[in-house]
Amino acid sequence: MRVHVLVLDGVFDLGLSSVLDAFQTANELLDVSTIDIERFDVKTVAVRRRVRTSHGLLVPIHPVDRRTPDCVVVPALGYKMPAPLEQALSRPDVQDATHLLRDYARRDATVAAACVGTFVLAESGLLSGHSATTTWWLAPLFRRRYPAVALEDSSMIVNSGSFVTAGAALGHMDLALWLVRRVSPQLASLTAQYLIVDSRPSQSAYALTDHLVHADPLVRKFESWARANLARGFSLDHAARAVGSSKRTLARRLHSVLGKSPLEYFQSVRVERAVHLLKTTRASVDDVAARVGYADGVTLRTLLRRRLHAGVREIRVSG
């Protein structure tokens, strides 16, 4: 499998190294295992002759040739906040990279990106009409900038057609392992074991929802109402009156900032509060369920397992 890792100036060091190390480890394990597949031919390529990482390290690069790779991977740029990221996306080298990505796609290569690298891929227009994920805290910017993309920001990996996107930071590792798994599930599992990488099917457990909520005054008011009314239950009419908004405006703002409906966010706050109580108190599961508005502990257990892929015992041990 031929893999091109497309690096841009200011590439996120951890992201780039995660991708390269995952493939290198997979190749090393092939040398000592009985798995019968070809080694991964991985090259770092660029649209400029010199590329430095966000920490100033010089990246050794290969010239882009006309041979079509099986896959091209775009690691993140080293920008974590919206304003500097938007400035970076207007750079000439980024625009040149989007032209190259479209060329790769025309030649039927799989195009993959992780973290902020998903913005570069979205800039190319290739994700329009497709589903994708991105860095969870930049989801509002992504939705505003690329409304034609169906964003699934709670997911760690989203595959849509010939495009694969991964979530924040260490999502680079998940992405690399996903690509290895496509060739050999056995090798991907072995690589993950050697690198001690746990399965992370969702970004939800890591997302700091407060970071997103406080970006919008109306959403912040709704969050306050939600936390005060967990045990009483959800009412969109009551919520809209409490925050001084129409139901339609409230729903539109929640979706714009969080990608959720008011009810979906209310349920997320319930889960967050339940997890906090399970970790910090000795209250029974039934009592916790009642305090967050669920009929019984069975309902809460089912919800936690579905949302967090973890049971009550695992949650309490992790606290």
Side-chain angles (χ1 to χ4, degrees):
M1 181 178 183
R2 299 183 66 243
V3 180
H4 283 184
V5 181
L6 178 58
V7 291
L8 289 156
D9 210 44
V11 63
F12 181 44
D13 294 69
L14 179 60
L16 175 59
S17 62
S18 294
V19 171
L20 296 179
D21 286 342
F23 283 116
Q24 182 179 24
T25 300
N27 279 337
E28 291 172 347
L29 291 171
L30 278 175
D31 292 340
V32 296
S33 73
T34 58
I35 300 172
D36 187 20
I37 63 170
E38 293 184 2
R39 290 169 58 89
F40 294 93
D41 178 13
V42 182
K43 293 181 178 179
T44 52
V45 299
V47 294
R48 296 292 184 270
R49 293 182 178 180
R50 290 172 61 87
V51 172
R52 291 190 180 274
T53 70
S54 61
H55 284 298
L57 304 178
L58 191 64
V59 181
I61 57 175
H62 297 84
V64 175
D65 57 43
R66 296 304 302 171
R67 294 176 61 199
T68 303
D70 299 293
C71 177
V72 56
V73 180
V74 185
L77 293 169
Y79 301 97
K80 299 176 179 64
M81 295 298 115
L85 172 58
E86 289 200 278
Q87 290 180 352
L89 291 173
S90 66
R91 291 178 352 205
D93 63 322
V94 173
Q95 296 307 308
D96 289 345
T98 64
H99 295 313
L100 181 59
L101 291 175
R102 288 194 289 271
D103 183 50
Y104 279 132
R106 281 193 295 268
R107 291 188 269 155
D108 295 325
T110 296
V111 184
C115 192
V116 173
T118 59
F119 280 78
V120 178
L121 178 53
E123 281 289 307
S124 72
L126 292 170
L127 290 180
S128 295
H130 288 273
S131 298
T133 188
T134 192
T135 305
W136 62 262
W137 69 87
L138 292 172
L141 173 63
F142 194 99
R143 286 192 178 90
R144 174 173 61 79
R145 197 172 174 102
Y146 314 112
V149 182
L151 187 63
E152 300 176 10
D153 54 301
S154 64
S155 300
M156 186 63 79
I157 295 284
V158 172
N159 175 212
S160 183
S162 59
F163 308 109
V164 190
T165 50
L170 287 176
H172 287 85
M173 181 62 71
D174 298 82
L175 177 61
L177 290 173
W178 189 94
L179 293 168
V180 173
R181 188 174 295 111
R182 192 171 65 167
V183 177
S184 171
Q186 182 184 358
L187 180 60
S189 177
L190 190 61
T191 303
Q193 289 176 331
Y194 268 77
L195 294 174
I196 317 181
V197 179
D198 294 325
S199 175
R200 293 184 292 265
S202 171
Q203 296 189 92
S204 299
Y206 307 95
L208 302 175
T209 306
D210 284 350
H211 176 93
L212 300 177
V213 165
H214 288 278
D216 186 286
L218 181 61
V219 177
R220 186 167 64 246
K221 288 180 182 179
F222 176 73
E223 187 229 14
S224 297
W225 176 87
R227 292 189 183 281
N229 288 272
L230 290 181
R232 298 177 189 174
F234 177 77
S235 167
L236 183 57
D237 288 320
H238 293 167
R241 283 198 298 269
V243 302
S245 166
S246 69
K247 292 185 289 186
R248 180 176 295 180
T249 296
L250 179 60
R252 186 175 64 249
R253 294 278 279 277
L254 259 292
H255 187 271
S256 175
V257 174
L258 301 175
K260 301 177 186 291
S261 70
L263 177 58
E264 288 171 333
Y265 179 62
F266 188 83
Q267 292 172 334
S268 296
V269 176
R270 277 178 162 171
V271 170
E272 177 193 304
R273 181 63 178 164
V275 169
H276 175 75
L277 290 171
L278 289 170
K279 287 184 175 183
T280 60
T281 74
R282 294 187 178 183
S284 68
V285 178
D286 285 334
D287 184 39
V288 170
R291 290 163 71 174
V292 298
Y294 287 109
D296 52 52
V298 174
T299 302
L300 179 59
R301 288 177 186 275
T302 301
L303 180 66
L304 293 175
R305 177 65 66 179
R306 186 170 67 245
R307 289 285 189 90
L308 304 179
H309 306 282
V312 169
R313 181 177 299 178
E314 296 167 274
I315 291 169
R316 284 191 144 150
V317 167
S318 68

